[in-house]
Amino acid sequence: MSFETEIYSIDDVEFGAFHDSLVYGLDMVRSVVHKFDTKGKLLAHNRFQDGINEIDLLVLGGVYPINKDSIFVIESGYDNLLLLGGDLKIKESWNIRKVTGSNIGIGGSNTQIVNFEYILNEPHITLVASDRNFRTSEKAFFENSFLAVKVNLNTGEFKPLFRYPIESPYREHLFWDSESPYILYFESRYFVTFPMDPNIYIFREGTEDYEVIRYSGKLNKSGGRGVAFGMHQREFLDNHYLEVFHNQNDYYLISNSLMQKAGHKYFVRVARRAINDKNFDYKDLNTFMIKHPGQEYIIQIIDLEKGEKGKIREYKLPKAYKNFLFIDKDGKIYFSRKNDKSEGYFVDVVSWNGDILE
């Protein structure tokens, strides 16, 4: 799929309204939302930083389509939530901190809308969020902050959800600017994974208990090594960023949907593999970015069914791919290419041989 974008680039695409034959893309830095058909033809776009909006916008952080005329968007710079119509114009907006009257942050290292639902005819939205009363460089943040928040958009009432798991390396090490989880909601369960943590955690509302699926594969390192709490960000970026983000740890990416095949449900994610220690001789971040070694990506397919729970299948991805974006009802996977923005934005649709899951 080749996407038309006119003068604006695409940072990400969202297939949440694929059943409506619509695909949404966003340019996070320029605050642009695009709408495409399934052939990549541009149907509409809206750049919000054109001076005519009723609210301040800085950086877009995620798109969550409900249907073709209701699309939620997070604006992560000022903690705003926008509701767009089919023409991508703003229908309604909320500032999460103002509407809840609390120091809630939705602009961490990963901004994400997890779920939208009506409860007793009241609209509730669940967002990846954190408690701004704690500094993200301190151990107290990972001991006390919540991972998500469910907000009643009519009343502003909210419920903090979940804590950093005891098993998580985030309780023991600081991983600057990777503190936010990725959360997949499916059948009343929240599947939680973190950028620097190889485990998968399964939460339910109303309980502090959770399940842990420990990584049992062979293609990744064990990971989970960071720096000491309290380290200033400048020191981290100057002296530790490369070893933490590219050498010591694999980097786990978001899983947007479950794969359902032959009566089984599979959690699927992609991991960027750490660089081999012997080849890691970059002295500074600028040199690394210019002479990037081209890290490998692997896809992990984890069985969630009883009797097979935790069984993992892993495959190296072709060099052209860095993550998957969507799984359709037939099990086809939509892969994000390592796109050269000067040439456009492309997604490949890949059919799988079902025998690999037997």
Side-chain angles (χ1 to χ4, degrees):
M1 300 172 65
S2 175
F3 291 87
E4 300 176 358
T5 58
E6 295 187 352
I7 63 174
Y8 301 117
S9 63
I10 304 175
D11 291 299
D12 201 2
V13 296
E14 173 59 59
F15 288 83
F18 197 66
H19 56 279
D20 288 328
S21 297
L22 299 172
V23 181
Y24 297 88
L26 60 89
D27 182 328
M28 293 181 286
V29 176
R30 295 181 180 85
S31 297
V32 183
V33 174
H34 313 269
K35 182 167 69 172
F36 307 94
D37 65 17
T38 54
K39 295 182 179 179
K41 180 181 179 181
L42 182 65
L43 302 176
H45 72 261
N46 187 7
R47 184 178 188 190
F48 297 100
Q49 291 286 58
D50 59 5
I52 62 172
N53 289 281
E54 73 276 16
I55 59 176
D56 290 326
L57 297 172
L58 187 63
V59 180
L60 296 184
V63 180
Y64 189 91
I66 303 297
N67 55 52
K68 61 185 178 182
D69 196 43
S70 295
I71 305 104
F72 280 108
V73 177
I74 294 179
E75 188 284 312
S76 59
Y78 298 104
D79 293 327
N80 289 311
L81 178 70
L82 314 177
L83 178 63
L84 311 181
D87 57 1
L88 302 186
K89 303 300 182 183
I90 298 174
K91 296 169 65 173
E92 198 164 352
S93 64
W94 303 262
N95 182 276
I96 295 300
R97 276 187 277 174
K98 289 181 180 179
V99 77
T100 61
S102 187
N103 203 15
I104 293 171
I106 61 172
S109 61
N110 167 48
T111 52
Q112 183 192 354
I113 300 171
V114 178
N115 187 42
F116 176 80
E117 60 185 323
Y118 279 94
I119 302 175
L120 300 177
N121 295 320
E122 295 284 332
H124 288 73
I125 196 153
T126 303
L127 308 165
V128 168
S130 62
D131 189 338
R132 284 185 178 269
N133 293 304
F134 301 96
R135 295 173 60 186
T136 57
S137 61
E138 301 295 335
K139 188 176 178 64
F141 175 87
F142 300 94
E143 293 174 338
N144 298 287
S145 181
F146 40 81
L147 300 180
V149 64
K150 177 180 277 191
V151 180
N152 184 321
L153 292 177
N154 282 346
T155 67
E157 293 179 287
F158 69 95
K159 178 169 64 173
L161 299 176
F162 320 130
R163 304 282 178 180
Y164 284 86
I166 296 297
E167 298 83 356
S168 172
Y170 285 78
R171 290 285 196 126
E172 304 298 329
H173 304 272
L174 175 62
F175 303 93
W176 254 111
D177 200 31
S178 69
E179 73 279 356
S180 298
Y182 305 126
I183 303 179
L184 167 62
Y185 180 77
F186 184 82
E187 294 183 346
S188 300
R189 293 183 293 174
Y190 296 82
F191 296 85
V192 178
T193 186
F194 296 89
M196 299 293 185
D197 186 345
N199 297 330
I200 300 166
Y201 304 94
I202 304 175
F203 290 87
R204 291 182 184 270
E205 284 186 53
T207 177
E208 295 183 1
D209 296 332
Y210 55 86
E211 298 178 62
V212 183
I213 299 179
R214 298 184 183 276
Y215 174 69
S216 61
K218 298 180 180 180
L219 294 181
N220 279 16
K221 292 187 175 183
S222 58
R225 290 182 289 167
V227 297
F229 289 109
M231 179 179 289
H232 292 294
Q233 190 173 29
R234 174 44 55 193
E235 180 184 350
F236 177 80
L237 291 174
D238 288 344
N239 301 316
H240 301 280
Y241 174 86
L242 291 178
E243 66 185 53
V244 171
F245 274 76
H246 295 282
N247 188 39
Q248 292 180 344
N249 302 289
D250 299 300
Y251 194 91
Y252 296 90
L253 298 165
I254 190 169
S255 181
N256 281 326
S257 50
L258 294 185
M259 176 186 287
Q260 301 182 68
K261 299 272 294 181
H264 279 228
K265 298 180 179 67
Y266 301 91
F267 183 89
V268 185
R269 68 179 177 186
V270 167
R272 185 188 68 205
R273 300 180 74 185
I275 300 172
N276 187 298
D277 290 321
K278 296 179 181 179
N279 297 328
F280 191 78
D281 59 356
Y282 297 94
K283 300 300 186 291
D284 60 75
L285 183 58
N286 288 334
T287 303
F288 177 82
M289 297 305 291
I290 294 171
K291 299 181 179 180
H292 198 285
Q295 286 155 274
E296 294 180 329
Y297 289 77
I298 65 173
I299 189 167
Q300 301 173 341
I301 304 173
I302 299 101
D303 204 319
L304 299 175
E305 295 303 310
K306 292 181 180 180
E308 297 288 330
K309 199 161 195 175
K311 183 177 180 181
I312 186 170
R313 297 161 178 84
E314 302 181 289
Y315 307 93
K316 292 182 182 180
L317 288 178
K319 291 183 178 180
Y321 300 147
K322 62 179 182 179
N323 197 9
F324 82 95
L325 301 168
F326 180 74
I327 302 171
D328 68 18
K329 61 182 177 61
D330 297 319
K332 293 179 181 177
I333 298 183
Y334 292 65
F335 279 104
S336 173
R337 284 221 209 144
K338 295 177 182 177
N339 296 294
D340 182 342
K341 290 187 177 182
S342 65
E343 297 179 358
Y345 191 96
F346 303 90
V347 170
D348 284 354
V349 185
V350 178
S351 296
W352 287 74
N353 183 341
D355 293 341
I356 67 170
L357 299 176
E358 295 299 327

